[in-house]
Amino acid sequence: MSYVEMPGANVPIRMWADPKTVEGAAMQQLRNVATLPWIKGLAVMPDVHYGKGATVGSVIAMRGAVCPAAVGVDIGCGMSAVRTSLTAADLPDDLSRLRSKIEQAIPVGRGMHEDPVEPGRFHGMATGGWDDFWGRFDGVAEAVKFRRGRAVTQMGTLGQGNHFVELCIDVSGSVWLMLHSGSRNIGKELADHHIGVARELPHNQGLVDRDLAVFVADTPQMAAYRNDLFWAQEYAKYNRALMMALFKDVVRKEFKKAAPTFEQEISCHHNYVAEERYDGMDLLVTRKGAIRAGSGDYGIIPGSMGTGSYIVKGLGNEASFNSASHGAGRKMSRNAAKKRFSTQDLEEQTRGVECRKDSGVVDEIPGAYKSIDKVIEQQTDLVEVVAKLKQVVCVKG
């Protein structure tokens, strides 16, 4: 599928989704974004849906400006995956023990480690850069510095909502490890602080939506946000790396006889800002629920907790600012899902998956999400499929 171009105030809205299927509130958000004076392009992914601050599944390219609410509060949220030497034949019939071991190793929800997890204890894990990373915490906003202790002990934890840790099998029978998480509470604290600052700036007072308040180049507010933004994105990357190390450690212990090995990890942000160049212009590209899909870039596009996911390779389509969708995308809100579905529905829709099946995760039921297969079909000019995975264990926060 190629994109459909919709009119916008300052730039056209390029859509890799059928405009007729996009909810009205999301379309209005997109039109609002297109009114920003600094905008140079707007691309919309097939998993598009209404989001807080800005539309989920949107790629916003601006010159000399960035919108903190469009990035969102889970700065650097993204995915990691790795193929193992294990096959489906190596797995036991009962996977409940494996799920329990994963949950013991990786705190979920609001949980955190009792003591900081040292990366040096894990075989093969890169340890360079950690000291420098934590040293730069001294340069973040004063308003969040009191959270350092929590940030340290939450490093290597999952969080809640749609975050997950999964053990999957691809169509060839290979076992994969996959997880989804971001910058935890420290990312939220930094985002909330800067969103509040942006809303009070004079140049933002006439915007059609207060959530679209921006920082502009060559100002102290922009410099402060960029510093904290890029630090939080790095936190999210390290958080996923540490969780994957913990996950591998569990798998090594549980499958000791099989002596599992692991290929190179695939990792990608899908809520973040990148400095990129298009049409001779240096732009700040915000991917709000979208991954980078430059030529040859590997990415991960997950479905819901019962339907499976895709490993993809980018095709480098500049019309989308080298982007692709970040997942299946919700087709109903969490509250709507809780009203529409029961725990019995959850059990039926996650049959064959070792996972929670209680009321606390009904809002994550597969029926609340769009079809991941359809989402992939709508972006064949953005990515090519490398592997299709189906989860057999899913740990939710």
mmCIF file of all heavy atoms in Angstrom, residues 277-297:
data_model
loop_
_atom_site.group_PDB
_atom_site.id
_atom_site.type_symbol
_atom_site.label_atom_id
_atom_site.label_comp_id
_atom_site.label_asym_id
_atom_site.label_seq_id
_atom_site.Cartn_x
_atom_site.Cartn_y
_atom_site.Cartn_z
ATOM 1 N N ARG A 277 17.961 14.324 8.515
ATOM 2 C CA ARG A 277 18.019 15.313 7.437
ATOM 3 C C ARG A 277 17.170 14.859 6.243
ATOM 4 O O ARG A 277 17.324 13.737 5.756
ATOM 5 C CB ARG A 277 19.472 15.520 7.000
ATOM 6 C CG ARG A 277 19.673 16.688 6.041
ATOM 7 C CD ARG A 277 21.158 16.974 5.837
ATOM 8 N NE ARG A 277 21.396 18.066 4.902
ATOM 9 C CZ ARG A 277 21.350 19.360 5.226
ATOM 10 N NH1 ARG A 277 21.098 19.695 6.484
ATOM 11 N NH2 ARG A 277 21.559 20.296 4.334
ATOM 12 N N TYR A 278 16.274 15.725 5.818
ATOM 13 C CA TYR A 278 15.410 15.455 4.668
ATOM 14 C C TYR A 278 15.309 16.711 3.806
ATOM 15 O O TYR A 278 15.190 17.828 4.353
ATOM 16 C CB TYR A 278 14.003 15.030 5.120
ATOM 17 C CG TYR A 278 13.989 13.732 5.886
ATOM 18 C CD1 TYR A 278 14.035 13.724 7.281
ATOM 19 C CD2 TYR A 278 13.950 12.510 5.225
ATOM 20 C CE1 TYR A 278 14.041 12.535 7.991
ATOM 21 C CE2 TYR A 278 13.948 11.308 5.927
ATOM 22 C CZ TYR A 278 13.998 11.332 7.306
ATOM 23 O OH TYR A 278 14.007 10.149 8.007
ATOM 24 N N ASP A 279 15.364 16.512 2.496
ATOM 25 C CA ASP A 279 15.233 17.626 1.555
ATOM 26 C C ASP A 279 16.176 18.778 1.888
ATOM 27 O O ASP A 279 15.802 19.961 1.794
ATOM 28 C CB ASP A 279 13.782 18.135 1.524
ATOM 29 C CG ASP A 279 12.808 17.075 1.027
ATOM 30 O OD1 ASP A 279 13.212 16.273 0.154
ATOM 31 O OD2 ASP A 279 11.664 17.043 1.509
ATOM 32 N N GLY A 280 17.379 18.423 2.303
ATOM 33 C CA GLY A 280 18.381 19.446 2.592
ATOM 34 C C GLY A 280 18.176 20.183 3.896
ATOM 35 O O GLY A 280 18.886 21.162 4.164
ATOM 36 N N MET A 281 17.222 19.718 4.739
ATOM 37 C CA MET A 281 16.940 20.394 6.008
ATOM 38 C C MET A 281 17.251 19.472 7.190
ATOM 39 O O MET A 281 16.951 18.280 7.145
ATOM 40 C CB MET A 281 15.466 20.809 6.089
ATOM 41 C CG MET A 281 15.055 21.894 5.128
ATOM 42 S SD MET A 281 13.313 22.394 5.374
ATOM 43 C CE MET A 281 12.465 20.920 4.777
ATOM 44 N N ASP A 282 17.844 20.051 8.234
ATOM 45 C CA ASP A 282 18.032 19.323 9.481
ATOM 46 C C ASP A 282 16.744 19.429 10.286
ATOM 47 O O ASP A 282 16.305 20.535 10.642
ATOM 48 C CB ASP A 282 19.199 19.917 10.278
ATOM 49 C CG ASP A 282 20.537 19.669 9.598
ATOM 50 O OD1 ASP A 282 20.711 18.573 9.033
ATOM 51 O OD2 ASP A 282 21.397 20.575 9.627
ATOM 52 N N LEU A 283 16.121 18.275 10.555
ATOM 53 C CA LEU A 283 14.820 18.249 11.213
ATOM 54 C C LEU A 283 14.883 17.457 12.506
ATOM 55 O O LEU A 283 15.730 16.573 12.678
ATOM 56 C CB LEU A 283 13.773 17.623 10.284
ATOM 57 C CG LEU A 283 13.573 18.278 8.918
ATOM 58 C CD1 LEU A 283 12.560 17.487 8.101
ATOM 59 C CD2 LEU A 283 13.122 19.723 9.066
ATOM 60 N N LEU A 284 13.968 17.780 13.401
ATOM 61 C CA LEU A 284 13.746 16.971 14.595
ATOM 62 C C LEU A 284 12.511 16.121 14.321
ATOM 63 O O LEU A 284 11.401 16.647 14.167
ATOM 64 C CB LEU A 284 13.541 17.867 15.819
ATOM 65 C CG LEU A 284 14.814 18.551 16.321
ATOM 66 C CD1 LEU A 284 14.480 19.658 17.308
ATOM 67 C CD2 LEU A 284 15.757 17.541 16.968
ATOM 68 N N VAL A 285 12.719 14.815 14.217
ATOM 69 C CA VAL A 285 11.647 13.890 13.858
ATOM 70 C C VAL A 285 11.160 13.179 15.117
ATOM 71 O O VAL A 285 11.909 12.452 15.763
ATOM 72 C CB VAL A 285 12.128 12.868 12.817
ATOM 73 C CG1 VAL A 285 11.003 11.888 12.476
ATOM 74 C CG2 VAL A 285 12.624 13.571 11.558
ATOM 75 N N THR A 286 9.896 13.424 15.458
ATOM 76 C CA THR A 286 9.278 12.770 16.603
ATOM 77 C C THR A 286 8.470 11.581 16.113
ATOM 78 O O THR A 286 7.539 11.745 15.315
ATOM 79 C CB THR A 286 8.360 13.734 17.368
ATOM 80 O OG1 THR A 286 9.133 14.823 17.866
ATOM 81 C CG2 THR A 286 7.671 13.026 18.523
ATOM 82 N N ARG A 287 8.827 10.412 16.581
ATOM 83 C CA ARG A 287 8.044 9.210 16.267
ATOM 84 C C ARG A 287 7.229 8.865 17.511
ATOM 85 O O ARG A 287 7.769 8.432 18.515
ATOM 86 C CB ARG A 287 8.963 8.062 15.846
ATOM 87 C CG ARG A 287 9.666 8.346 14.508
ATOM 88 C CD ARG A 287 10.504 7.162 14.008
ATOM 89 N NE ARG A 287 11.031 7.467 12.681
ATOM 90 C CZ ARG A 287 12.237 8.017 12.455
ATOM 91 N NH1 ARG A 287 13.028 8.324 13.481
ATOM 92 N NH2 ARG A 287 12.633 8.272 11.219
ATOM 93 N N LYS A 288 5.940 9.112 17.404
ATOM 94 C CA LYS A 288 5.009 8.849 18.517
ATOM 95 C C LYS A 288 4.272 7.549 18.184
ATOM 96 O O LYS A 288 3.274 7.559 17.473
ATOM 97 C CB LYS A 288 4.027 10.017 18.653
ATOM 98 C CG LYS A 288 2.819 9.760 19.548
ATOM 99 C CD LYS A 288 3.131 9.913 21.008
ATOM 100 C CE LYS A 288 1.824 9.927 21.813
ATOM 101 N NZ LYS A 288 2.044 10.174 23.231
ATOM 102 N N GLY A 289 4.800 6.424 18.651
ATOM 103 C CA GLY A 289 4.216 5.148 18.261
ATOM 104 C C GLY A 289 4.607 4.801 16.840
ATOM 105 O O GLY A 289 3.756 4.456 16.022
ATOM 106 N N ALA A 290 5.883 4.913 16.525
ATOM 107 C CA ALA A 290 6.407 4.548 15.202
ATOM 108 C C ALA A 290 7.882 4.205 15.358
ATOM 109 O O ALA A 290 8.551 4.730 16.252
ATOM 110 C CB ALA A 290 6.225 5.694 14.203
ATOM 111 N N ILE A 291 8.375 3.325 14.505
ATOM 112 C CA ILE A 291 9.779 2.941 14.550
ATOM 113 C C ILE A 291 10.514 3.512 13.348
ATOM 114 O O ILE A 291 9.909 3.840 12.331
ATOM 115 C CB ILE A 291 9.962 1.409 14.570
ATOM 116 C CG1 ILE A 291 9.388 0.752 13.292
ATOM 117 C CG2 ILE A 291 9.339 0.811 15.820
ATOM 118 C CD1 ILE A 291 9.703 -0.714 13.147
ATOM 119 N N ARG A 292 11.834 3.637 13.467
ATOM 120 C CA ARG A 292 12.632 4.007 12.309
ATOM 121 C C ARG A 292 12.735 2.793 11.390
ATOM 122 O O ARG A 292 12.992 1.673 11.841
ATOM 123 C CB ARG A 292 14.031 4.469 12.724
ATOM 124 C CG ARG A 292 14.882 4.825 11.509
ATOM 125 C CD ARG A 292 16.189 5.509 11.827
ATOM 126 N NE ARG A 292 17.029 5.557 10.646
ATOM 127 C CZ ARG A 292 16.932 6.469 9.675
ATOM 128 N NH1 ARG A 292 16.034 7.430 9.775
ATOM 129 N NH2 ARG A 292 17.720 6.423 8.617
ATOM 130 N N ALA A 293 12.528 3.026 10.093
ATOM 131 C CA ALA A 293 12.561 1.956 9.093
ATOM 132 C C ALA A 293 13.398 2.397 7.905
ATOM 133 O O ALA A 293 12.974 2.289 6.749
ATOM 134 C CB ALA A 293 11.140 1.581 8.658
ATOM 135 N N GLY A 294 14.606 2.944 8.206
ATOM 136 C CA GLY A 294 15.535 3.270 7.143
ATOM 137 C C GLY A 294 15.960 2.011 6.417
ATOM 138 O O GLY A 294 15.768 0.898 6.906
ATOM 139 N N SER A 295 16.544 2.147 5.244
ATOM 140 C CA SER A 295 16.929 0.994 4.444
ATOM 141 C C SER A 295 17.835 0.054 5.237
ATOM 142 O O SER A 295 18.911 0.442 5.690
ATOM 143 C CB SER A 295 17.644 1.457 3.176
ATOM 144 O OG SER A 295 18.003 0.356 2.381
ATOM 145 N N GLY A 296 17.370 -1.172 5.452
ATOM 146 C CA GLY A 296 18.152 -2.168 6.181
ATOM 147 C C GLY A 296 17.996 -2.146 7.683
ATOM 148 O O GLY A 296 18.517 -3.033 8.369
ATOM 149 N N ASP A 297 17.294 -1.156 8.229
ATOM 150 C CA ASP A 297 17.078 -1.102 9.679
ATOM 151 C C ASP A 297 16.158 -2.241 10.117
ATOM 152 O O ASP A 297 15.065 -2.417 9.565
ATOM 153 C CB ASP A 297 16.414 0.219 10.093
ATOM 154 C CG ASP A 297 17.320 1.418 9.991
ATOM 155 O OD1 ASP A 297 18.547 1.223 9.940
ATOM 156 O OD2 ASP A 297 16.799 2.549 9.959
#
